[in-house]
Amino acid sequence: SKILYLTRTKYDKFFVRWAYIERFGYDDTAYLLLMENFKKLGFFDDANDCYYAYRVEGRQYLSPPNQIIDLILWGLYGYGMKPLFPILLSAIIVLVFGFAIFVTNGIYKIRDRPENNRAFRKSQQNQSLSILEALNFSATAFAFGATANAYDSTEIKVSNATRYIITIERFLGWMLIALIIISLANTVIR
């Protein structure tokens, strides 16, 4: 059946690579012992892959509320074993929020204008951000926690509704950057 069962198996060193195991019979103890075996042999990537498979396989044995939490952890950062998950999610968030800022026109530039010319002030007062400027603003808010107040200057103004969007994006940025660091620490740094 090409399923490897290690239930109640005792070994000091088991020389196998995770890539050669097509299917592994689910047993908590067997998974944990195999992960320790991989670590002893210095096969850290195999230990990570085994842990990831253990968590994915074990989800079906959780209660429904815990399954939901487990799915969220899987989707956010792959249980700390998939740093690409939060990186891709970060890129998607920057694009979505940048597009939202562009569409809602919540951030705009105030053009330089002569103070005496009333007709110029009415016709040329605000200039919308381009899509690239909105994406740049979104990436800055996401990565560096730029506040809307920092951009309220004589050149750029932020509407009140957009301040909430920026706050949500800043929170998501802090959270996902932390998850990226955790994932990288689990998979790259030994």
Side-chain angles (χ1 to χ4, degrees), residues 1-158:
S1 66
K2 296 189 178 185
I3 300 175
L4 177 64
Y5 290 102
L6 294 178
T7 305
R8 297 185 189 159
T9 304
K10 292 185 180 184
Y11 51 86
D12 289 326
K13 290 184 180 179
F14 184 45
F15 292 95
V16 67
R17 300 304 298 250
W18 183 255
Y20 297 130
I21 301 173
E22 290 183 26
R23 291 185 60 206
F24 191 67
Y26 185 79
D27 178 33
D28 284 337
T29 306
Y31 264 108
L32 296 173
L33 288 173
L34 189 58
M35 282 185 270
E36 286 302 315
N37 177 65
F38 286 140
K39 289 177 185 176
K40 285 181 194 173
L41 295 174
F43 300 158
F44 297 111
D45 288 337
D46 290 341
N48 292 344
D49 292 340
C50 183
Y51 176 75
Y52 180 78
Y54 166 69
R55 292 290 303 266
V56 170
E57 189 73 25
R59 184 180 316 126
Q60 63 186 329
Y61 302 108
L62 297 173
S63 65
N66 289 339
Q67 282 182 353
I68 294 169
I69 293 169
D70 197 67
L71 275 171
I72 292 169
L73 293 175
W74 170 78
L76 284 177
Y77 73 132
Y79 306 117
M81 298 295 126
K82 305 290 181 186
L84 191 59
F85 284 19
I87 291 171
L88 290 175
L89 191 56
S90 298
I92 290 168
I93 287 173
V94 167
L95 290 173
V96 166
F97 278 85
F99 187 71
I101 289 169
F102 175 73
V103 169
T104 61
N105 200 18
I107 299 174
Y108 51 90
K109 296 184 282 186
I110 298 176
R111 291 185 172 183
D112 292 332
R113 59 189 181 272
E115 295 298 327
N116 300 350
N117 191 339
R118 185 175 264 176
F120 182 83
R121 281 188 292 195
K122 287 183 180 178
S123 65
Q124 302 283 329
Q125 210 169 20
N126 300 331
Q127 179 185 12
S128 300
L129 294 180
S130 69
I131 186 69
L132 290 176
E133 290 171 325
L135 288 172
N136 182 40
F137 185 91
S138 176
T140 303
F142 181 88
F144 303 110
T147 63
N149 294 336
Y151 288 93
D152 269 351
S153 64
T154 56
E155 296 105 22
I156 295 177
K157 292 292 178 187
V158 180

